[in-house]
Amino acid sequence: MTIMKTGKAKVASIMAMSAALYAVFFFLSYSITLPNFTLLYLPIILLGVFPLWFGWSGLVGGLIGAYIGGVFVEGLPLHFAWAESVTALLIFSLNWVLIPKSATEARSKRSLVILLIVYAFTLFVGTTYVLWQLSALGVFQWSMAEAFLLPTFALNLPIVVITCPALIRAISPKLRSWGVYSGNLTDWLRKRNGT
């Protein structure tokens, strides 16, 4: 019974911490923003490491934090702010699925290159999706979305490809020793099933 309560408490703590950090990073992104869209997207750092560190709990926290950021940073109406949560879900899920176990350490040159390719791909997909989604909702015109796609991608790419591998190398070993580290989706499923 105590183990179950500890597990639930750990999950709830990770969700709350993930949501808070995501919202804080969103607020830090406010320095380079347009009405209803954040050009500098610092939560991309969290979407690059939270899948490996916290798995499902990090995803739920990230979705909550993304919604908060959509409302309070971008000024999206409550009924449109879910667009940020869907984008977070997309990037988080792609990173969690596409980052192979060999790249979760980012120790060799090959694994680092794979990690950087996955990060670039997921950032591009997520940026394209959020711009398309916000234009489909009528927040701004598609021509404006197209104009901001490459500059937004180029601004955020160096942030994710420099910061995420460094954080993975520095913090993942400590999280493993604490029993918090999730690994990629395959690792998480294996741990969950006890195999």
Side-chain angles (χ1 to χ4, degrees):
M1 187 73 159
T2 305
I3 294 172
M4 188 191 250
K5 286 182 181 176
T6 304
K8 287 182 180 179
K10 184 168 74 172
V11 167
S13 298
I14 290 171
M15 285 180 190
M17 183 262 325
S18 299
L21 279 174
Y22 201 100
V24 166
F25 273 55
F26 223 127
F27 280 103
L28 293 174
S29 301
Y30 185 70
S31 60
I32 303 178
T33 189
L34 299 169
N36 301 323
F37 185 67
T38 304
L39 291 171
L40 177 66
Y41 189 64
L42 292 177
I44 194 65
I45 297 168
L46 304 178
L47 294 174
V49 295
F50 277 9
L52 302 176
W53 291 350
F54 306 125
W56 178 256
S57 303
L59 173 60
V60 173
L63 297 178
I64 295 166
Y67 185 83
I68 292 168
V71 172
F72 293 107
V73 175
E74 293 182 329
L76 292 170
L78 294 175
H79 58 284
F80 286 165
W82 57 265
E84 286 297 341
S85 293
V86 173
T87 304
L89 172 67
L90 179 65
I91 296 172
F92 187 106
S93 299
L94 285 173
N95 281 334
W96 206 16
V97 169
L98 295 177
I99 295 174
K101 182 165 179 58
S102 63
T104 59
E105 296 288 324
R107 298 245 181 245
S108 70
K109 287 182 183 177
R110 183 178 184 275
S111 66
L112 183 60
V113 168
I114 291 169
L115 194 59
L116 300 182
I117 289 169
V118 170
Y119 284 148
F121 173 73
T122 59
L123 174 64
F124 186 78
V125 168
T127 304
T128 303
Y129 183 77
V130 74
L131 286 167
W132 169 80
Q133 194 172 44
L134 291 174
S135 66
L137 292 170
V139 174
F140 45 74
Q141 297 295 320
W142 176 244
S143 58
M144 183 178 166
E146 283 181 317
F148 286 109
L149 175 61
L150 291 180
T152 303
F153 175 73
L155 178 65
N156 291 288
L157 183 62
I159 294 168
V160 73
V161 299
I162 293 169
T163 309
C164 290
L167 287 171
I168 287 171
R169 274 190 239 130
I171 298 174
S172 293
K174 190 52 119 176
L175 292 175
R176 273 194 188 93
S177 70
W178 291 343
V180 177
Y181 185 83
S182 175
N184 65 4
L185 182 62
T186 306
D187 291 336
W188 181 79
L189 289 171
R190 195 175 299 128
K191 288 175 193 171
R192 185 171 167 241
N193 295 331
T195 57

